[in-house]
Amino acid sequence: MSSVLRVSCTECGACCAAFRVSFHKSELAHGEVPGVPVHMAVHEVNNTMRMCGTDESVSRCVALVGEVGKQVSCSIYQNRPSPCREFGQLADVGIYEEACNRARSRHGLPPLPVESW
Ligand code: SF4
Ligand code: SF4
């Protein structure tokens, strides 16, 4: 019987240290309205912001806590921007994006099974 490698996102975190994370400025916190903390984002172009650290040569989101591939968390999980909410939505039930494996390979992590949609 073959076994299928399955991880939870809190044991991975590769996507938070691999890709640029851009989002509309309306997702920033303002006044009493929760959102991405202003100090964690930089202006990109027009109405677009970017999570600090995600456009570096060695990418790592400023909000990521922990060690990729071991134990991680997002320090702004409740207020993370929309690309983070949309990416890998089904990963915790074992259905991974093809991009998960691209991110994981950048960290020397083994590929996960990719479901066809
Ligand atoms: S969405 Fe994919 S790459 Fe991101 S932490 Fe989860 S399994 Fe890893
Ligand atoms: S905001 Fe959170 S979920 Fe989004 S890339 Fe950064 S650490 Fe990952």
mmCIF file of all heavy atoms in Angstrom, residues 7-19 64 68-69 72 84 87-92 95-104 109 112, ligand 1:
data_model
loop_
_atom_site.group_PDB
_atom_site.id
_atom_site.type_symbol
_atom_site.label_atom_id
_atom_site.label_comp_id
_atom_site.label_asym_id
_atom_site.label_seq_id
_atom_site.Cartn_x
_atom_site.Cartn_y
_atom_site.Cartn_z
ATOM 1 N N VAL A 7 0.280 17.297 4.602
ATOM 2 C CA VAL A 7 0.722 18.227 5.634
ATOM 3 C C VAL A 7 -0.366 19.263 5.873
ATOM 4 O O VAL A 7 -1.215 19.493 5.016
ATOM 5 C CB VAL A 7 2.029 18.974 5.257
ATOM 6 C CG1 VAL A 7 3.166 18.017 5.010
ATOM 7 C CG2 VAL A 7 1.807 19.877 4.064
ATOM 8 N N SER A 8 -0.322 19.877 7.038
ATOM 9 C CA SER A 8 -1.193 21.018 7.249
ATOM 10 C C SER A 8 -0.377 22.271 6.957
ATOM 11 O O SER A 8 0.861 22.255 6.996
ATOM 12 C CB SER A 8 -1.722 21.048 8.683
ATOM 13 O OG SER A 8 -0.748 21.586 9.538
ATOM 14 N N CYS A 9 -1.047 23.364 6.676
ATOM 15 C CA CYS A 9 -0.338 24.593 6.331
ATOM 16 C C CYS A 9 0.548 25.078 7.477
ATOM 17 O O CYS A 9 1.567 25.720 7.231
ATOM 18 C CB CYS A 9 -1.342 25.672 5.943
ATOM 19 S SG CYS A 9 -2.117 25.334 4.331
ATOM 20 N N THR A 10 0.187 24.764 8.710
ATOM 21 C CA THR A 10 1.015 25.208 9.828
ATOM 22 C C THR A 10 2.315 24.410 9.934
ATOM 23 O O THR A 10 3.211 24.776 10.684
ATOM 24 C CB THR A 10 0.258 25.118 11.168
ATOM 25 O OG1 THR A 10 -0.217 23.777 11.336
ATOM 26 C CG2 THR A 10 -0.906 26.083 11.209
ATOM 27 N N GLU A 11 2.424 23.339 9.156
ATOM 28 C CA GLU A 11 3.687 22.587 9.097
ATOM 29 C C GLU A 11 4.446 22.931 7.813
ATOM 30 O O GLU A 11 5.460 22.308 7.521
ATOM 31 C CB GLU A 11 3.411 21.078 9.107
ATOM 32 C CG GLU A 11 2.725 20.592 10.353
ATOM 33 C CD GLU A 11 2.217 19.161 10.186
ATOM 34 O OE1 GLU A 11 1.950 18.727 9.049
ATOM 35 O OE2 GLU A 11 2.097 18.481 11.215
ATOM 36 N N CYS A 12 3.922 23.852 7.033
ATOM 37 C CA CYS A 12 4.508 24.169 5.729
ATOM 38 C C CYS A 12 4.879 25.651 5.664
ATOM 39 O O CYS A 12 6.001 26.025 5.975
ATOM 40 C CB CYS A 12 3.531 23.774 4.625
ATOM 41 S SG CYS A 12 4.088 24.192 2.952
ATOM 42 N N GLY A 13 3.971 26.485 5.240
ATOM 43 C CA GLY A 13 4.246 27.929 5.162
ATOM 44 C C GLY A 13 5.065 28.352 3.956
ATOM 45 O O GLY A 13 5.459 29.517 3.839
ATOM 46 N N ALA A 14 5.313 27.433 3.045
ATOM 47 C CA ALA A 14 6.186 27.746 1.910
ATOM 48 C C ALA A 14 5.645 28.879 1.050
ATOM 49 O O ALA A 14 6.413 29.711 0.545
ATOM 50 C CB ALA A 14 6.389 26.490 1.060
ATOM 51 N N CYS A 15 4.336 28.941 0.859
ATOM 52 C CA CYS A 15 3.775 29.984 -0.016
ATOM 53 C C CYS A 15 3.969 31.380 0.578
ATOM 54 O O CYS A 15 4.011 32.361 -0.166
ATOM 55 C CB CYS A 15 2.298 29.713 -0.290
ATOM 56 S SG CYS A 15 1.279 29.560 1.178
ATOM 57 N N CYS A 16 4.093 31.472 1.890
ATOM 58 C CA CYS A 16 4.293 32.771 2.542
ATOM 59 C C CYS A 16 5.741 33.232 2.416
ATOM 60 O O CYS A 16 6.070 34.350 2.823
ATOM 61 C CB CYS A 16 3.911 32.677 4.018
ATOM 62 S SG CYS A 16 2.231 32.090 4.299
ATOM 63 N N ALA A 17 6.587 32.378 1.893
ATOM 64 C CA ALA A 17 8.002 32.713 1.727
ATOM 65 C C ALA A 17 8.441 32.331 0.320
ATOM 66 O O ALA A 17 9.518 31.761 0.123
ATOM 67 C CB ALA A 17 8.843 31.984 2.784
ATOM 68 N N ALA A 18 7.571 32.614 -0.654
ATOM 69 C CA ALA A 18 7.911 32.262 -2.034
ATOM 70 C C ALA A 18 7.331 33.246 -3.050
ATOM 71 O O ALA A 18 7.969 33.512 -4.066
ATOM 72 C CB ALA A 18 7.412 30.857 -2.351
ATOM 73 N N PHE A 19 6.140 33.765 -2.782
ATOM 74 C CA PHE A 19 5.448 34.557 -3.802
ATOM 75 C C PHE A 19 5.204 35.998 -3.339
ATOM 76 O O PHE A 19 5.046 36.257 -2.141
ATOM 77 C CB PHE A 19 4.090 33.922 -4.128
ATOM 78 C CG PHE A 19 4.181 32.497 -4.579
ATOM 79 C CD1 PHE A 19 3.418 31.516 -3.964
ATOM 80 C CD2 PHE A 19 5.042 32.136 -5.605
ATOM 81 C CE1 PHE A 19 3.494 30.190 -4.381
ATOM 82 C CE2 PHE A 19 5.136 30.814 -6.022
ATOM 83 C CZ PHE A 19 4.358 29.842 -5.406
ATOM 84 N N LEU A 64 4.907 36.403 8.665
ATOM 85 C CA LEU A 64 5.114 34.975 8.901
ATOM 86 C C LEU A 64 5.977 34.763 10.139
ATOM 87 O O LEU A 64 7.037 35.369 10.293
ATOM 88 C CB LEU A 64 5.776 34.325 7.675
ATOM 89 C CG LEU A 64 5.968 32.811 7.733
ATOM 90 C CD1 LEU A 64 4.621 32.093 7.775
ATOM 91 C CD2 LEU A 64 6.805 32.320 6.558
ATOM 92 N N VAL A 68 9.754 27.715 8.106
ATOM 93 C CA VAL A 68 9.079 27.061 6.970
ATOM 94 C C VAL A 68 9.423 25.567 6.956
ATOM 95 O O VAL A 68 10.576 25.177 7.116
ATOM 96 C CB VAL A 68 9.505 27.725 5.644
ATOM 97 C CG1 VAL A 68 8.967 26.945 4.446
ATOM 98 C CG2 VAL A 68 9.016 29.172 5.606
ATOM 99 N N GLY A 69 8.379 24.769 6.776
ATOM 100 C CA GLY A 69 8.571 23.318 6.705
ATOM 101 C C GLY A 69 8.554 22.641 8.057
ATOM 102 O O GLY A 69 8.603 21.415 8.137
ATOM 103 N N VAL A 72 4.806 26.996 11.512
ATOM 104 C CA VAL A 72 4.634 28.410 11.171
ATOM 105 C C VAL A 72 3.244 28.895 11.568
ATOM 106 O O VAL A 72 2.329 28.098 11.809
ATOM 107 C CB VAL A 72 4.814 28.660 9.649
ATOM 108 C CG1 VAL A 72 6.226 28.376 9.188
ATOM 109 C CG2 VAL A 72 3.794 27.871 8.854
ATOM 110 N N CYS A 84 -4.088 35.690 0.280
ATOM 111 C CA CYS A 84 -3.768 34.648 1.267
ATOM 112 C C CYS A 84 -5.013 33.827 1.598
ATOM 113 O O CYS A 84 -4.918 32.624 1.853
ATOM 114 C CB CYS A 84 -3.223 35.278 2.536
ATOM 115 S SG CYS A 84 -1.853 36.412 2.230
ATOM 116 N N PHE A 87 -5.595 31.518 -1.626
ATOM 117 C CA PHE A 87 -4.590 30.526 -2.020
ATOM 118 C C PHE A 87 -4.681 29.306 -1.098
ATOM 119 O O PHE A 87 -4.742 29.425 0.113
ATOM 120 C CB PHE A 87 -3.180 31.132 -1.927
ATOM 121 C CG PHE A 87 -2.109 30.225 -2.452
ATOM 122 C CD1 PHE A 87 -1.758 30.250 -3.788
ATOM 123 C CD2 PHE A 87 -1.467 29.335 -1.612
ATOM 124 C CE1 PHE A 87 -0.775 29.394 -4.283
ATOM 125 C CE2 PHE A 87 -0.475 28.479 -2.092
ATOM 126 C CZ PHE A 87 -0.132 28.512 -3.426
ATOM 127 N N GLY A 88 -4.665 28.142 -1.686
ATOM 128 C CA GLY A 88 -4.587 26.907 -0.899
ATOM 129 C C GLY A 88 -5.728 26.724 0.080
ATOM 130 O O GLY A 88 -5.548 26.170 1.162
ATOM 131 N N GLN A 89 -6.911 27.142 -0.338
ATOM 132 C CA GLN A 89 -8.053 27.089 0.591
ATOM 133 C C GLN A 89 -8.357 25.679 1.071
ATOM 134 O O GLN A 89 -8.880 25.484 2.163
ATOM 135 C CB GLN A 89 -9.302 27.648 -0.092
ATOM 136 C CG GLN A 89 -9.348 29.150 -0.134
ATOM 137 C CD GLN A 89 -10.640 29.652 -0.731
ATOM 138 O OE1 GLN A 89 -11.158 29.076 -1.669
ATOM 139 N NE2 GLN A 89 -11.166 30.719 -0.190
ATOM 140 N N LEU A 90 -8.039 24.690 0.237
ATOM 141 C CA LEU A 90 -8.382 23.312 0.579
ATOM 142 C C LEU A 90 -7.177 22.508 1.058
ATOM 143 O O LEU A 90 -7.265 21.296 1.240
ATOM 144 C CB LEU A 90 -9.023 22.620 -0.632
ATOM 145 C CG LEU A 90 -10.319 23.264 -1.126
ATOM 146 C CD1 LEU A 90 -10.826 22.553 -2.375
ATOM 147 C CD2 LEU A 90 -11.386 23.227 -0.032
ATOM 148 N N ALA A 91 -6.075 23.214 1.275
ATOM 149 C CA ALA A 91 -4.846 22.495 1.646
ATOM 150 C C ALA A 91 -5.018 21.699 2.933
ATOM 151 O O ALA A 91 -4.484 20.600 3.070
ATOM 152 C CB ALA A 91 -3.690 23.484 1.767
ATOM 153 N N ASP A 92 -5.757 22.242 3.872
ATOM 154 C CA ASP A 92 -5.883 21.546 5.156
ATOM 155 C C ASP A 92 -6.764 20.308 5.080
ATOM 156 O O ASP A 92 -6.852 19.551 6.043
ATOM 157 C CB ASP A 92 -6.371 22.499 6.252
ATOM 158 C CG ASP A 92 -5.193 23.254 6.876
ATOM 159 O OD1 ASP A 92 -4.051 22.737 6.822
ATOM 160 O OD2 ASP A 92 -5.413 24.352 7.415
ATOM 161 N N ILE A 95 -6.053 18.846 -0.268
ATOM 162 C CA ILE A 95 -6.151 19.162 -1.698
ATOM 163 C C ILE A 95 -5.293 20.405 -1.940
ATOM 164 O O ILE A 95 -5.613 21.495 -1.464
ATOM 165 C CB ILE A 95 -7.610 19.421 -2.115
ATOM 166 C CG1 ILE A 95 -8.439 18.176 -1.853
ATOM 167 C CG2 ILE A 95 -7.684 19.809 -3.591
ATOM 168 C CD1 ILE A 95 -9.925 18.351 -2.130
ATOM 169 N N TYR A 96 -4.187 20.193 -2.632
ATOM 170 C CA TYR A 96 -3.193 21.252 -2.747
ATOM 171 C C TYR A 96 -3.200 21.890 -4.124
ATOM 172 O O TYR A 96 -3.496 21.260 -5.123
ATOM 173 C CB TYR A 96 -1.794 20.682 -2.465
ATOM 174 C CG TYR A 96 -1.716 19.991 -1.136
ATOM 175 C CD1 TYR A 96 -1.751 18.601 -1.050
ATOM 176 C CD2 TYR A 96 -1.639 20.733 0.037
ATOM 177 C CE1 TYR A 96 -1.703 17.967 0.179
ATOM 178 C CE2 TYR A 96 -1.586 20.112 1.269
ATOM 179 C CZ TYR A 96 -1.627 18.722 1.328
ATOM 180 O OH TYR A 96 -1.588 18.105 2.548
ATOM 181 N N GLU A 97 -2.792 23.153 -4.167
ATOM 182 C CA GLU A 97 -2.580 23.853 -5.424
ATOM 183 C C GLU A 97 -1.283 23.342 -6.062
ATOM 184 O O GLU A 97 -0.345 22.986 -5.351
ATOM 185 C CB GLU A 97 -2.406 25.354 -5.164
ATOM 186 C CG GLU A 97 -3.494 25.988 -4.364
ATOM 187 C CD GLU A 97 -4.465 26.751 -5.233
ATOM 188 O OE1 GLU A 97 -4.211 26.869 -6.435
ATOM 189 O OE2 GLU A 97 -5.460 27.224 -4.684
ATOM 190 N N GLU A 98 -1.233 23.389 -7.383
ATOM 191 C CA GLU A 98 0.025 23.074 -8.058
ATOM 192 C C GLU A 98 1.118 24.035 -7.572
ATOM 193 O O GLU A 98 2.278 23.656 -7.425
ATOM 194 C CB GLU A 98 -0.192 23.163 -9.568
ATOM 195 C CG GLU A 98 1.025 22.814 -10.419
ATOM 196 C CD GLU A 98 1.973 23.978 -10.624
ATOM 197 O OE1 GLU A 98 1.497 25.131 -10.540
ATOM 198 O OE2 GLU A 98 3.167 23.729 -10.861
ATOM 199 N N ALA A 99 0.720 25.277 -7.300
ATOM 200 C CA ALA A 99 1.694 26.281 -6.850
ATOM 201 C C ALA A 99 2.267 25.953 -5.472
ATOM 202 O O ALA A 99 3.339 26.450 -5.120
ATOM 203 C CB ALA A 99 1.045 27.659 -6.833
ATOM 204 N N CYS A 100 1.559 25.153 -4.686
ATOM 205 C CA CYS A 100 2.116 24.736 -3.388
ATOM 206 C C CYS A 100 3.457 24.042 -3.613
ATOM 207 O O CYS A 100 4.426 24.282 -2.901
ATOM 208 C CB CYS A 100 1.182 23.767 -2.669
ATOM 209 S SG CYS A 100 -0.350 24.491 -2.055
ATOM 210 N N ASN A 101 3.483 23.180 -4.595
ATOM 211 C CA ASN A 101 4.709 22.421 -4.828
ATOM 212 C C ASN A 101 5.820 23.291 -5.384
ATOM 213 O O ASN A 101 7.000 23.041 -5.109
ATOM 214 C CB ASN A 101 4.431 21.224 -5.732
ATOM 215 C CG ASN A 101 3.719 20.121 -4.981
ATOM 216 O OD1 ASN A 101 3.816 20.055 -3.749
ATOM 217 N ND2 ASN A 101 2.993 19.276 -5.684
ATOM 218 N N ARG A 102 5.468 24.303 -6.158
ATOM 219 C CA ARG A 102 6.510 25.241 -6.623
ATOM 220 C C ARG A 102 7.100 25.984 -5.430
ATOM 221 O O ARG A 102 8.313 26.175 -5.335
ATOM 222 C CB ARG A 102 5.921 26.224 -7.631
ATOM 223 C CG ARG A 102 5.892 25.666 -9.041
ATOM 224 C CD ARG A 102 5.603 26.741 -10.066
ATOM 225 N NE ARG A 102 4.168 27.002 -10.146
ATOM 226 C CZ ARG A 102 3.597 28.180 -9.990
ATOM 227 N NH1 ARG A 102 4.331 29.252 -9.753
ATOM 228 N NH2 ARG A 102 2.296 28.326 -10.080
ATOM 229 N N ALA A 103 6.240 26.399 -4.520
ATOM 230 C CA ALA A 103 6.727 27.103 -3.327
ATOM 231 C C ALA A 103 7.560 26.160 -2.466
ATOM 232 O O ALA A 103 8.639 26.524 -1.989
ATOM 233 C CB ALA A 103 5.539 27.643 -2.533
ATOM 234 N N ARG A 104 7.052 24.951 -2.285
ATOM 235 C CA ARG A 104 7.765 23.993 -1.426
ATOM 236 C C ARG A 104 9.133 23.640 -2.000
ATOM 237 O O ARG A 104 10.111 23.480 -1.255
ATOM 238 C CB ARG A 104 6.904 22.740 -1.234
ATOM 239 C CG ARG A 104 5.718 22.993 -0.311
ATOM 240 C CD ARG A 104 4.803 21.781 -0.236
ATOM 241 N NE ARG A 104 5.466 20.596 0.287
ATOM 242 C CZ ARG A 104 5.668 20.329 1.570
ATOM 243 N NH1 ARG A 104 5.239 21.185 2.487
ATOM 244 N NH2 ARG A 104 6.258 19.221 1.963
ATOM 245 N N LEU A 109 11.466 21.286 0.132
ATOM 246 C CA LEU A 109 10.452 20.415 0.725
ATOM 247 C C LEU A 109 9.872 19.487 -0.337
ATOM 248 O O LEU A 109 9.734 19.878 -1.495
ATOM 249 C CB LEU A 109 9.330 21.252 1.348
ATOM 250 C CG LEU A 109 9.771 22.164 2.500
ATOM 251 C CD1 LEU A 109 8.651 23.119 2.884
ATOM 252 C CD2 LEU A 109 10.200 21.325 3.709
ATOM 253 N N LEU A 112 3.744 17.637 -2.706
ATOM 254 C CA LEU A 112 2.505 17.075 -2.172
ATOM 255 C C LEU A 112 1.647 16.645 -3.349
ATOM 256 O O LEU A 112 1.796 17.159 -4.454
ATOM 257 C CB LEU A 112 1.768 18.142 -1.355
ATOM 258 C CG LEU A 112 2.568 18.666 -0.166
ATOM 259 C CD1 LEU A 112 1.966 19.962 0.337
ATOM 260 C CD2 LEU A 112 2.628 17.630 0.932
HETATM 261 S S1 SF4 B 1 -1.194 26.583 0.948
HETATM 262 FE FE1 SF4 B 1 0.239 25.062 0.153
HETATM 263 S S2 SF4 B 1 2.276 26.055 0.135
HETATM 264 FE FE2 SF4 B 1 0.898 27.280 1.425
HETATM 265 S S3 SF4 B 1 1.283 26.543 3.509
HETATM 266 FE FE3 SF4 B 1 -0.474 25.384 2.711
HETATM 267 S S4 SF4 B 1 0.398 23.518 1.800
HETATM 268 FE FE4 SF4 B 1 2.078 24.993 2.078
#
